[in-house]
Amino acid sequence: SCKAKLPKLGFDPKYFVGAVTSGNEAGHYIQNTYSNGQKALFITWKTPKSPSPLHFIELAGNVTVTDNPEEADFVILHGVDVVRGPGKDGEARETSLGNFLEDGKMDLIDPLLKKCVGRNLPMVCANPDFIMVKPDGSTGHMPGKVAKRYEEMGGKVTSFGKPYVEHFEACLRDLKLPKDQVAHVGDSLHHDITGANDTGIASVFVTGGIHREELGAELGSLPEVSALKSLFATHSQTPTHVIPMFRF
């Protein structure tokens, strides 16, 4: 579970009520929507991976997966490394989608998406993030970019997680607190601050994350006010609070 991972990240689990993940929300949706034997084209992470992509399939009610878009009834966008067929880790066929995670190139992904659009396959995106900052400071390209491309091609996408208000409302539900007693902390204006603003809760924008290069600031230093105002204007989102790093 997410709470079990907290000590490895330096957090004490006793300070956390729980966790609401996009994967859990997407899994429940798939269970409720595709429970009549429909097959899913499974776009995910390559193995070995912890947790295994099979964990998500369990969350989705052990839906049947395929690596053939001609057999699929819908698409699960869980990762960006491979299209995975049925079977256990180490046994399931995995067809590489290239180095999209590293370089963001859609050379191998676009033809697959075109086939799915041609068959009018709906897509469920379990991770709408566009980019992530890796521990070494490099950028990783995430499933949200693939989902956006699918929509641009004419495909239908149902996404779960930030910035969607339903995800924030689910957190408020579990916290059992009114909106004026909750603040959302994050480093993405598109996902974190947009979601908080749309939900009507306070937001704490961390400048040392994915927007740090745009701001031209050193890691751990608060950017100039003029740089912050320019960034907020560019992205049409303004947080209620700003901090350089999330330290505790």
Side-chain angles (χ1 to χ4, degrees):
S1 69
C2 287
K3 287 187 72 173
K5 297 178 183 178
L6 290 173
K8 296 179 182 178
L9 300 173
F11 295 99
D12 189 333
K14 72 181 182 182
Y15 296 117
F16 290 78
V17 172
V20 177
T21 70
S22 57
N24 284 336
E25 298 290 303
H28 293 155
Y29 172 81
I30 292 170
Q31 278 197 57
N32 294 329
T33 308
Y34 300 102
S35 57
N36 295 317
Q38 294 100 323
K39 286 187 177 181
L41 182 74
F42 191 28
I43 304 175
T44 186
W45 306 107
K46 61 186 176 183
T47 53
K49 175 73 174 177
S50 181
S52 165
L54 288 179
H55 176 66
F56 178 78
I57 296 302
E58 292 172 3
L59 289 175
N62 288 312
V63 65
T64 301
V65 304
T66 179
D67 56 357
N68 182 358
E70 299 300 325
E71 296 179 354
D73 299 295
F74 69 107
V75 181
I76 293 176
L77 180 58
H78 174 253
V80 295
D81 288 335
V82 299
V83 182
R84 175 174 170 149
K88 299 177 181 178
D89 288 351
E91 297 178 6
R93 181 169 55 195
E94 296 183 343
T95 303
S96 174
L97 293 174
N99 296 316
F100 174 79
L101 178 65
E102 286 76 29
D103 59 28
K105 294 181 179 179
M106 299 259 188
D107 299 20
L108 297 179
I109 294 177
D110 275 348
L112 178 66
L113 297 183
K114 288 177 181 177
K115 288 182 180 179
C116 295
V117 169
R119 297 197 61 239
N120 294 316
L121 300 182
M123 174 183 284
V124 178
C125 178
N127 183 345
D129 283 350
F130 288 165
I131 61 173
M132 64 171 288
V133 178
K134 299 179 183 179
D136 63 2
S138 63
T139 296
H141 302 270
M142 300 297 282
K145 284 191 173 183
V146 178
K148 182 180 179 183
R149 177 64 69 93
Y150 196 61
E151 287 181 318
E152 291 170 348
M153 290 180 174
K156 178 184 177 183
V157 180
T158 302
S159 295
F160 294 86
K162 302 174 297 184
Y164 301 99
V165 171
E166 293 82 1
H167 190 70
F168 287 77
E169 295 284 3
C171 295
L172 291 169
R173 176 197 66 211
D174 288 2
L175 285 169
K176 297 181 175 61
L177 289 172
K179 291 182 179 181
D180 61 3
Q181 292 184 27
V182 175
H184 178 76
V185 182
D187 69 338
S188 169
L189 289 173
H190 176 75
H191 293 93
D192 296 301
I193 307 308
T194 296
N197 286 343
D198 289 349
T199 306
I201 60 175
S203 59
V204 182
F205 175 55
V206 182
T207 63
I210 64 172
H211 294 288
R212 183 167 65 88
E213 290 187 6
E214 287 181 81
L215 289 164
E218 293 294 325
L219 188 63
S221 298
L222 199 63
E224 295 292 331
V225 172
S226 59
L228 288 168
K229 287 183 176 179
S230 175
L231 182 75
F232 300 157
T234 297
H235 293 271
S236 301
Q237 294 294 334
T238 301
T240 56
H241 301 79
V242 176
I243 57 174
M245 295 285 286
F246 187 46
R247 293 193 175 108
F248 57 96

